mmCIF file of all heavy atoms in Angstrom:
data_model
loop_
_atom_site.group_PDB
_atom_site.id
_atom_site.type_symbol
_atom_site.label_atom_id
_atom_site.label_comp_id
_atom_site.label_asym_id
_atom_site.label_seq_id
_atom_site.Cartn_x
_atom_site.Cartn_y
_atom_site.Cartn_z
ATOM 1 N N LEU A 1 -12.629 -16.795 -21.100
ATOM 2 C CA LEU A 1 -12.402 -15.697 -20.188
ATOM 3 C C LEU A 1 -12.339 -14.357 -20.956
ATOM 4 O O LEU A 1 -13.018 -13.405 -20.541
ATOM 5 C CB LEU A 1 -11.118 -15.919 -19.460
ATOM 6 C CG LEU A 1 -10.577 -14.682 -18.678
ATOM 7 C CD1 LEU A 1 -11.415 -14.546 -17.373
ATOM 8 C CD2 LEU A 1 -9.118 -14.841 -18.340
ATOM 9 N N GLY A 2 -11.649 -14.335 -22.083
ATOM 10 C CA GLY A 2 -11.465 -13.068 -22.814
ATOM 11 C C GLY A 2 -12.740 -12.540 -23.395
ATOM 12 O O GLY A 2 -13.043 -11.363 -23.338
ATOM 13 N N VAL A 3 -13.536 -13.452 -23.977
ATOM 14 C CA VAL A 3 -14.856 -13.042 -24.534
ATOM 15 C C VAL A 3 -15.734 -12.426 -23.475
ATOM 16 O O VAL A 3 -16.397 -11.459 -23.650
ATOM 17 C CB VAL A 3 -15.466 -14.255 -25.266
ATOM 18 C CG1 VAL A 3 -16.988 -13.945 -25.542
ATOM 19 C CG2 VAL A 3 -14.785 -14.571 -26.560
ATOM 20 N N SER A 4 -15.747 -13.148 -22.266
ATOM 21 C CA SER A 4 -16.540 -12.635 -21.185
ATOM 22 C C SER A 4 -16.101 -11.169 -20.785
ATOM 23 O O SER A 4 -16.912 -10.347 -20.569
ATOM 24 C CB SER A 4 -16.355 -13.442 -19.895
ATOM 25 O OG SER A 4 -16.857 -14.695 -20.019
ATOM 26 N N GLU A 5 -14.827 -11.038 -20.689
ATOM 27 C CA GLU A 5 -14.321 -9.710 -20.258
ATOM 28 C C GLU A 5 -14.609 -8.618 -21.334
ATOM 29 O O GLU A 5 -15.009 -7.520 -20.946
ATOM 30 C CB GLU A 5 -12.763 -9.815 -19.947
ATOM 31 C CG GLU A 5 -12.160 -8.500 -19.451
ATOM 32 C CD GLU A 5 -12.832 -8.037 -18.161
ATOM 33 O OE1 GLU A 5 -13.281 -8.913 -17.345
ATOM 34 O OE2 GLU A 5 -12.837 -6.874 -17.958
ATOM 35 N N LEU A 6 -14.308 -8.938 -22.539
ATOM 36 C CA LEU A 6 -14.471 -7.911 -23.548
ATOM 37 C C LEU A 6 -15.948 -7.543 -23.741
ATOM 38 O O LEU A 6 -16.273 -6.359 -23.924
ATOM 39 C CB LEU A 6 -13.917 -8.359 -24.980
ATOM 40 C CG LEU A 6 -12.392 -8.643 -24.946
ATOM 41 C CD1 LEU A 6 -12.001 -9.060 -26.313
ATOM 42 C CD2 LEU A 6 -11.624 -7.415 -24.429
ATOM 43 N N LEU A 7 -16.870 -8.525 -23.688
ATOM 44 C CA LEU A 7 -18.274 -8.210 -23.828
ATOM 45 C C LEU A 7 -18.859 -7.512 -22.593
ATOM 46 O O LEU A 7 -19.636 -6.662 -22.677
ATOM 47 C CB LEU A 7 -19.079 -9.479 -24.191
ATOM 48 C CG LEU A 7 -18.851 -10.071 -25.530
ATOM 49 C CD1 LEU A 7 -19.693 -11.297 -25.743
ATOM 50 C CD2 LEU A 7 -19.035 -8.993 -26.628
ATOM 51 N N SER A 8 -18.324 -7.946 -21.451
ATOM 52 C CA SER A 8 -18.747 -7.258 -20.191
ATOM 53 C C SER A 8 -18.322 -5.797 -20.244
ATOM 54 O O SER A 8 -19.079 -4.935 -19.721
ATOM 55 C CB SER A 8 -18.119 -7.929 -18.955
ATOM 56 O OG SER A 8 -18.593 -9.241 -18.761
ATOM 57 N N ASN A 9 -17.192 -5.486 -20.767
ATOM 58 C CA ASN A 9 -16.681 -4.055 -20.866
ATOM 59 C C ASN A 9 -17.591 -3.296 -21.836
ATOM 60 O O ASN A 9 -17.832 -2.117 -21.615
ATOM 61 C CB ASN A 9 -15.251 -4.018 -21.213
ATOM 62 C CG ASN A 9 -14.386 -4.277 -20.024
ATOM 63 O OD1 ASN A 9 -14.848 -4.197 -18.879
ATOM 64 N ND2 ASN A 9 -13.150 -4.655 -20.284
ATOM 65 N N VAL A 10 -18.076 -3.947 -22.877
ATOM 66 C CA VAL A 10 -19.024 -3.234 -23.763
ATOM 67 C C VAL A 10 -20.266 -2.923 -22.983
ATOM 68 O O VAL A 10 -20.770 -1.714 -23.026
ATOM 69 C CB VAL A 10 -19.343 -4.030 -25.022
ATOM 70 C CG1 VAL A 10 -20.529 -3.462 -25.794
ATOM 71 C CG2 VAL A 10 -18.155 -4.288 -25.904
ATOM 72 N N ILE A 11 -20.848 -3.817 -22.186
ATOM 73 C CA ILE A 11 -21.980 -3.553 -21.386
ATOM 74 C C ILE A 11 -21.832 -2.381 -20.426
ATOM 75 O O ILE A 11 -22.600 -1.589 -20.263
ATOM 76 C CB ILE A 11 -22.431 -4.854 -20.658
ATOM 77 C CG1 ILE A 11 -22.854 -5.911 -21.642
ATOM 78 C CG2 ILE A 11 -23.487 -4.607 -19.610
ATOM 79 C CD1 ILE A 11 -22.993 -7.337 -21.080
ATOM 80 N N ARG A 12 -20.631 -2.398 -19.744
ATOM 81 C CA ARG A 12 -20.359 -1.431 -18.647
ATOM 82 C C ARG A 12 -20.030 -0.023 -19.257
ATOM 83 O O ARG A 12 -20.347 0.949 -18.611
ATOM 84 C CB ARG A 12 -19.182 -1.872 -17.780
ATOM 85 C CG ARG A 12 -19.606 -2.800 -16.791
ATOM 86 C CD ARG A 12 -18.350 -3.077 -15.819
ATOM 87 N NE ARG A 12 -18.386 -4.462 -15.323
ATOM 88 C CZ ARG A 12 -17.718 -5.453 -15.749
ATOM 89 N NH1 ARG A 12 -16.745 -5.279 -16.621
ATOM 90 N NH2 ARG A 12 -17.868 -6.683 -15.218
ATOM 91 N N HIS A 13 -19.284 -0.010 -20.334
ATOM 92 C CA HIS A 13 -18.682 1.314 -20.709
ATOM 93 C C HIS A 13 -19.111 1.856 -22.083
ATOM 94 O O HIS A 13 -18.659 2.940 -22.425
ATOM 95 C CB HIS A 13 -17.161 1.150 -20.757
ATOM 96 C CG HIS A 13 -16.575 0.639 -19.466
ATOM 97 N ND1 HIS A 13 -16.539 1.449 -18.369
ATOM 98 C CD2 HIS A 13 -16.035 -0.536 -19.181
ATOM 99 C CE1 HIS A 13 -16.019 0.714 -17.366
ATOM 100 N NE2 HIS A 13 -15.652 -0.469 -17.803
ATOM 101 N N VAL A 14 -19.979 1.208 -22.826
ATOM 102 C CA VAL A 14 -20.294 1.752 -24.137
ATOM 103 C C VAL A 14 -21.812 1.867 -24.323
ATOM 104 O O VAL A 14 -22.612 0.971 -23.902
ATOM 105 C CB VAL A 14 -19.893 0.697 -25.291
ATOM 106 C CG1 VAL A 14 -20.232 1.108 -26.697
ATOM 107 C CG2 VAL A 14 -18.366 0.406 -25.162
ATOM 108 N N ALA A 15 -22.274 3.033 -24.657
ATOM 109 C CA ALA A 15 -23.706 3.382 -24.803
ATOM 110 C C ALA A 15 -24.417 2.459 -25.738
ATOM 111 O O ALA A 15 -25.491 1.951 -25.492
ATOM 112 C CB ALA A 15 -23.840 4.846 -25.111
ATOM 113 N N GLU A 16 -23.809 2.272 -26.896
ATOM 114 C CA GLU A 16 -24.365 1.478 -28.009
ATOM 115 C C GLU A 16 -23.834 0.037 -27.830
ATOM 116 O O GLU A 16 -22.641 -0.147 -28.065
ATOM 117 C CB GLU A 16 -24.031 2.032 -29.335
ATOM 118 C CG GLU A 16 -24.325 1.119 -30.502
ATOM 119 C CD GLU A 16 -25.737 0.760 -30.661
ATOM 120 O OE1 GLU A 16 -26.621 1.651 -30.664
ATOM 121 O OE2 GLU A 16 -26.074 -0.481 -30.735
ATOM 122 N N ARG A 17 -24.664 -0.846 -27.377
ATOM 123 C CA ARG A 17 -24.139 -2.183 -27.070
ATOM 124 C C ARG A 17 -24.013 -3.128 -28.336
ATOM 125 O O ARG A 17 -23.633 -4.282 -28.138
ATOM 126 C CB ARG A 17 -25.102 -2.853 -26.061
ATOM 127 C CG ARG A 17 -24.949 -2.179 -24.724
ATOM 128 C CD ARG A 17 -25.735 -2.884 -23.685
ATOM 129 N NE ARG A 17 -25.492 -2.260 -22.368
ATOM 130 C CZ ARG A 17 -26.081 -2.594 -21.296
ATOM 131 N NH1 ARG A 17 -26.936 -3.615 -21.321
ATOM 132 N NH2 ARG A 17 -25.926 -2.004 -20.139
ATOM 133 N N ARG A 18 -24.388 -2.676 -29.538
ATOM 134 C CA ARG A 18 -24.223 -3.441 -30.682
ATOM 135 C C ARG A 18 -22.645 -3.443 -30.955
ATOM 136 O O ARG A 18 -22.024 -2.459 -30.934
ATOM 137 C CB ARG A 18 -24.887 -2.873 -31.919
ATOM 138 C CG ARG A 18 -24.590 -3.730 -33.123
ATOM 139 C CD ARG A 18 -25.633 -3.576 -34.178
ATOM 140 N NE ARG A 18 -27.040 -4.023 -33.815
ATOM 141 C CZ ARG A 18 -27.369 -5.298 -33.727
ATOM 142 N NH1 ARG A 18 -26.524 -6.261 -33.942
ATOM 143 N NH2 ARG A 18 -28.649 -5.602 -33.341
ATOM 144 N N CYS A 19 -22.125 -4.666 -31.142
ATOM 145 C CA CYS A 19 -20.650 -4.780 -31.369
ATOM 146 C C CYS A 19 -20.488 -5.944 -32.319
ATOM 147 O O CYS A 19 -21.436 -6.575 -32.791
ATOM 148 C CB CYS A 19 -19.977 -4.997 -29.999
ATOM 149 S SG CYS A 19 -20.493 -6.473 -29.060
ATOM 150 N N TYR A 20 -19.213 -6.243 -32.517
ATOM 151 C CA TYR A 20 -18.915 -7.289 -33.503
ATOM 152 C C TYR A 20 -17.797 -8.132 -32.889
ATOM 153 O O TYR A 20 -16.739 -7.591 -32.437
ATOM 154 C CB TYR A 20 -18.422 -6.700 -34.842
ATOM 155 C CG TYR A 20 -18.309 -7.716 -35.936
ATOM 156 C CD1 TYR A 20 -19.349 -8.202 -36.682
ATOM 157 C CD2 TYR A 20 -17.018 -8.309 -36.211
ATOM 158 C CE1 TYR A 20 -19.264 -9.055 -37.691
ATOM 159 C CE2 TYR A 20 -16.906 -9.216 -37.236
ATOM 160 C CZ TYR A 20 -17.994 -9.615 -37.923
ATOM 161 O OH TYR A 20 -17.883 -10.502 -38.928
ATOM 162 N N LEU A 21 -17.976 -9.402 -32.809
ATOM 163 C CA LEU A 21 -17.034 -10.357 -32.331
ATOM 164 C C LEU A 21 -16.335 -11.068 -33.510
ATOM 165 O O LEU A 21 -17.057 -11.598 -34.320
ATOM 166 C CB LEU A 21 -17.691 -11.397 -31.465
ATOM 167 C CG LEU A 21 -16.874 -12.596 -30.953
ATOM 168 C CD1 LEU A 21 -15.729 -12.154 -30.049
ATOM 169 C CD2 LEU A 21 -17.726 -13.644 -30.238
ATOM 170 N N ARG A 22 -15.033 -11.003 -33.544
ATOM 171 C CA ARG A 22 -14.276 -11.715 -34.567
ATOM 172 C C ARG A 22 -13.200 -12.513 -33.966
ATOM 173 O O ARG A 22 -12.529 -12.106 -33.050
ATOM 174 C CB ARG A 22 -13.704 -10.772 -35.622
ATOM 175 C CG ARG A 22 -12.947 -11.457 -36.751
ATOM 176 C CD ARG A 22 -12.668 -10.633 -37.867
ATOM 177 N NE ARG A 22 -11.855 -9.406 -37.595
ATOM 178 C CZ ARG A 22 -11.642 -8.430 -38.449
ATOM 179 N NH1 ARG A 22 -12.108 -8.478 -39.658
ATOM 180 N NH2 ARG A 22 -10.840 -7.461 -38.033
ATOM 181 N N ILE A 23 -13.077 -13.791 -34.466
ATOM 182 C CA ILE A 23 -12.027 -14.752 -33.967
ATOM 183 C C ILE A 23 -11.288 -15.235 -35.211
ATOM 184 O O ILE A 23 -11.933 -15.678 -36.236
ATOM 185 C CB ILE A 23 -12.649 -15.891 -33.234
ATOM 186 C CG1 ILE A 23 -13.598 -15.459 -32.118
ATOM 187 C CG2 ILE A 23 -11.526 -16.831 -32.675
ATOM 188 C CD1 ILE A 23 -14.434 -16.561 -31.535
ATOM 189 N N VAL A 24 -9.984 -14.980 -35.205
ATOM 190 C CA VAL A 24 -9.173 -15.259 -36.417
ATOM 191 C C VAL A 24 -8.061 -16.209 -36.042
ATOM 192 O O VAL A 24 -7.417 -16.068 -34.985
ATOM 193 C CB VAL A 24 -8.485 -13.927 -36.918
ATOM 194 C CG1 VAL A 24 -7.645 -14.191 -38.095
ATOM 195 C CG2 VAL A 24 -9.623 -12.890 -37.220
ATOM 196 N N ARG A 25 -7.872 -17.160 -36.870
ATOM 197 C CA ARG A 25 -6.708 -18.099 -36.708
ATOM 198 C C ARG A 25 -5.686 -17.911 -37.803
ATOM 199 O O ARG A 25 -6.019 -17.864 -38.954
ATOM 200 C CB ARG A 25 -7.183 -19.613 -36.839
ATOM 201 C CG ARG A 25 -6.085 -20.580 -36.730
ATOM 202 C CD ARG A 25 -6.560 -21.959 -36.818
ATOM 203 N NE ARG A 25 -7.254 -22.224 -38.079
ATOM 204 C CZ ARG A 25 -7.720 -23.431 -38.450
ATOM 205 N NH1 ARG A 25 -7.646 -24.454 -37.694
ATOM 206 N NH2 ARG A 25 -8.289 -23.589 -39.637
ATOM 207 N N ILE A 26 -4.506 -17.567 -37.374
ATOM 208 C CA ILE A 26 -3.398 -17.382 -38.323
ATOM 209 C C ILE A 26 -2.294 -18.299 -37.819
ATOM 210 O O ILE A 26 -1.668 -17.976 -36.810
ATOM 211 C CB ILE A 26 -2.937 -15.925 -38.392
ATOM 212 C CG1 ILE A 26 -4.074 -15.047 -38.851
ATOM 213 C CG2 ILE A 26 -1.655 -15.789 -39.304
ATOM 214 C CD1 ILE A 26 -3.764 -13.516 -38.832
ATOM 215 N N GLY A 27 -1.991 -19.311 -38.555
ATOM 216 C CA GLY A 27 -0.970 -20.332 -38.146
ATOM 217 C C GLY A 27 -1.381 -20.970 -36.840
ATOM 218 O O GLY A 27 -2.524 -21.412 -36.640
ATOM 219 N N GLY A 28 -0.491 -20.847 -35.850
ATOM 220 C CA GLY A 28 -0.786 -21.435 -34.527
ATOM 221 C C GLY A 28 -1.243 -20.434 -33.539
ATOM 222 O O GLY A 28 -1.169 -20.681 -32.325
ATOM 223 N N GLU A 29 -1.742 -19.299 -33.979
ATOM 224 C CA GLU A 29 -2.247 -18.252 -33.069
ATOM 225 C C GLU A 29 -3.706 -17.960 -33.320
ATOM 226 O O GLU A 29 -4.105 -17.953 -34.468
ATOM 227 C CB GLU A 29 -1.343 -17.037 -33.234
ATOM 228 C CG GLU A 29 -1.748 -15.878 -32.299
ATOM 229 C CD GLU A 29 -0.821 -14.689 -32.426
ATOM 230 O OE1 GLU A 29 -0.906 -13.953 -33.474
ATOM 231 O OE2 GLU A 29 -0.045 -14.433 -31.589
ATOM 232 N N VAL A 30 -4.406 -17.688 -32.294
ATOM 233 C CA VAL A 30 -5.789 -17.306 -32.386
ATOM 234 C C VAL A 30 -5.935 -15.901 -31.850
ATOM 235 O O VAL A 30 -5.339 -15.615 -30.765
ATOM 236 C CB VAL A 30 -6.801 -18.247 -31.735
ATOM 237 C CG1 VAL A 30 -6.552 -18.366 -30.265
ATOM 238 C CG2 VAL A 30 -8.218 -17.879 -31.996
ATOM 239 N N THR A 31 -6.636 -14.996 -32.442
ATOM 240 C CA THR A 31 -6.904 -13.632 -32.024
ATOM 241 C C THR A 31 -8.320 -13.389 -31.909
ATOM 242 O O THR A 31 -9.120 -13.707 -32.827
ATOM 243 C CB THR A 31 -6.258 -12.593 -32.944
ATOM 244 O OG1 THR A 31 -4.836 -12.822 -33.049
ATOM 245 C CG2 THR A 31 -6.480 -11.170 -32.498
ATOM 246 N N VAL A 32 -8.808 -12.843 -30.737
ATOM 247 C CA VAL A 32 -10.147 -12.535 -30.530
ATOM 248 C C VAL A 32 -10.249 -10.937 -30.492
ATOM 249 O O VAL A 32 -9.484 -10.351 -29.820
ATOM 250 C CB VAL A 32 -10.642 -13.117 -29.178
ATOM 251 C CG1 VAL A 32 -12.099 -12.659 -28.899
ATOM 252 C CG2 VAL A 32 -10.547 -14.657 -29.200
ATOM 253 N N GLN A 33 -11.255 -10.469 -31.166
ATOM 254 C CA GLN A 33 -11.382 -8.983 -31.342
ATOM 255 C C GLN A 33 -12.817 -8.591 -31.129
ATOM 256 O O GLN A 33 -13.726 -9.384 -31.532
ATOM 257 C CB GLN A 33 -11.016 -8.562 -32.733
ATOM 258 C CG GLN A 33 -9.684 -8.917 -33.243
ATOM 259 C CD GLN A 33 -9.542 -8.695 -34.717
ATOM 260 O OE1 GLN A 33 -10.351 -9.035 -35.495
ATOM 261 N NE2 GLN A 33 -8.337 -8.060 -35.084
ATOM 262 N N VAL A 34 -13.062 -7.601 -30.363
ATOM 263 C CA VAL A 34 -14.392 -6.984 -30.201
ATOM 264 C C VAL A 34 -14.376 -5.607 -30.696
ATOM 265 O O VAL A 34 -13.559 -4.783 -30.184
ATOM 266 C CB VAL A 34 -14.951 -7.117 -28.805
ATOM 267 C CG1 VAL A 34 -16.232 -6.328 -28.596
ATOM 268 C CG2 VAL A 34 -15.168 -8.582 -28.415
ATOM 269 N N PHE A 35 -15.191 -5.253 -31.656
ATOM 270 C CA PHE A 35 -15.347 -3.955 -32.230
ATOM 271 C C PHE A 35 -16.556 -3.289 -31.583
ATOM 272 O O PHE A 35 -17.595 -3.915 -31.572
ATOM 273 C CB PHE A 35 -15.532 -3.971 -33.711
ATOM 274 C CG PHE A 35 -14.467 -4.624 -34.487
ATOM 275 C CD1 PHE A 35 -14.283 -5.979 -34.496
ATOM 276 C CD2 PHE A 35 -13.550 -3.877 -35.325
ATOM 277 C CE1 PHE A 35 -13.285 -6.627 -35.271
ATOM 278 C CE2 PHE A 35 -12.620 -4.481 -36.047
ATOM 279 C CZ PHE A 35 -12.467 -5.857 -36.020
ATOM 280 N N ASP A 36 -16.411 -2.081 -31.053
ATOM 281 C CA ASP A 36 -17.624 -1.419 -30.520
ATOM 282 C C ASP A 36 -17.605 0.050 -31.018
ATOM 283 O O ASP A 36 -16.725 0.492 -31.726
ATOM 284 C CB ASP A 36 -17.678 -1.537 -28.970
ATOM 285 C CG ASP A 36 -16.650 -0.775 -28.246
ATOM 286 O OD1 ASP A 36 -16.315 0.486 -28.598
ATOM 287 O OD2 ASP A 36 -16.002 -1.366 -27.379
ATOM 288 N N ARG A 37 -18.583 0.859 -30.685
ATOM 289 C CA ARG A 37 -18.809 2.206 -31.164
ATOM 290 C C ARG A 37 -18.382 3.315 -30.219
ATOM 291 O O ARG A 37 -18.784 4.384 -30.322
ATOM 292 C CB ARG A 37 -20.273 2.346 -31.475
ATOM 293 C CG ARG A 37 -20.760 1.351 -32.435
ATOM 294 C CD ARG A 37 -21.447 1.911 -33.643
ATOM 295 N NE ARG A 37 -21.746 0.922 -34.595
ATOM 296 C CZ ARG A 37 -22.786 0.915 -35.406
ATOM 297 N NH1 ARG A 37 -23.552 1.951 -35.333
ATOM 298 N NH2 ARG A 37 -22.995 -0.092 -36.242
ATOM 299 N N SER A 38 -17.508 2.996 -29.285
ATOM 300 C CA SER A 38 -16.999 4.003 -28.412
ATOM 301 C C SER A 38 -15.522 4.254 -28.763
ATOM 302 O O SER A 38 -14.731 3.436 -29.055
ATOM 303 C CB SER A 38 -16.985 3.499 -26.885
ATOM 304 O OG SER A 38 -16.304 4.356 -26.117
ATOM 305 N N ARG A 39 -15.241 5.588 -28.720
ATOM 306 C CA ARG A 39 -13.827 5.939 -29.146
ATOM 307 C C ARG A 39 -12.894 5.867 -27.832
ATOM 308 O O ARG A 39 -11.744 6.074 -27.916
ATOM 309 C CB ARG A 39 -13.736 7.382 -29.617
ATOM 310 C CG ARG A 39 -14.585 7.589 -30.858
ATOM 311 C CD ARG A 39 -13.809 7.142 -32.161
ATOM 312 N NE ARG A 39 -12.554 7.867 -32.378
ATOM 313 C CZ ARG A 39 -11.674 7.480 -33.157
ATOM 314 N NH1 ARG A 39 -11.816 6.293 -33.798
ATOM 315 N NH2 ARG A 39 -10.519 8.167 -33.316
ATOM 316 N N LYS A 40 -13.548 5.735 -26.667
ATOM 317 C CA LYS A 40 -12.752 5.710 -25.409
ATOM 318 C C LYS A 40 -12.034 4.371 -25.226
ATOM 319 O O LYS A 40 -12.621 3.339 -25.079
ATOM 320 C CB LYS A 40 -13.649 5.989 -24.251
ATOM 321 C CG LYS A 40 -12.928 6.091 -22.906
ATOM 322 C CD LYS A 40 -13.802 6.442 -21.796
ATOM 323 C CE LYS A 40 -13.008 6.716 -20.559
ATOM 324 N NZ LYS A 40 -13.795 6.793 -19.375
ATOM 325 N N LEU A 41 -10.719 4.475 -25.232
ATOM 326 C CA LEU A 41 -9.863 3.273 -25.071
ATOM 327 C C LEU A 41 -9.735 2.913 -23.625
ATOM 328 O O LEU A 41 -9.725 3.757 -22.737
ATOM 329 C CB LEU A 41 -8.451 3.456 -25.687
ATOM 330 C CG LEU A 41 -8.361 3.798 -27.191
ATOM 331 C CD1 LEU A 41 -6.867 4.130 -27.490
ATOM 332 C CD2 LEU A 41 -8.838 2.606 -27.965
ATOM 333 N N PRO A 42 -9.724 1.579 -23.302
ATOM 334 C CA PRO A 42 -9.622 1.137 -21.908
ATOM 335 C C PRO A 42 -8.177 1.540 -21.405
ATOM 336 O O PRO A 42 -7.226 1.667 -22.151
ATOM 337 C CB PRO A 42 -9.689 -0.283 -21.936
ATOM 338 C CG PRO A 42 -9.528 -0.728 -23.293
ATOM 339 C CD PRO A 42 -9.830 0.437 -24.231
#
């Protein structure tokens, strides 16, 4: 769900659609991050 939402927001709100998806596991937690080229925070 989160990957869909974060990438959909890049499509809708960011002029440059090149982005970076990172998934990190630290202990028992997973963090999903999407980096894009817009300075506008949601």
Side-chain angles (χ1 to χ4, degrees):
L1 169 74
V3 166
S4 293
E5 185 58 31
L6 297 182
L7 293 181
S8 293
N9 281 341
V10 171
I11 293 167
R12 279 188 210 105
H13 303 292
V14 180
E16 169 59 52
R17 291 186 178 177
R18 177 156 299 284
C19 58
Y20 190 83
L21 171 66
R22 181 164 59 187
I23 308 169
V24 180
R25 176 179 61 176
I26 301 174
E29 182 176 72
V30 63
T31 300
V32 176
Q33 304 166 315
V34 171
F35 299 75
D36 68 48
R37 303 233 175 148
S38 170
R39 299 279 299 162
K40 185 175 181 190
L41 297 175

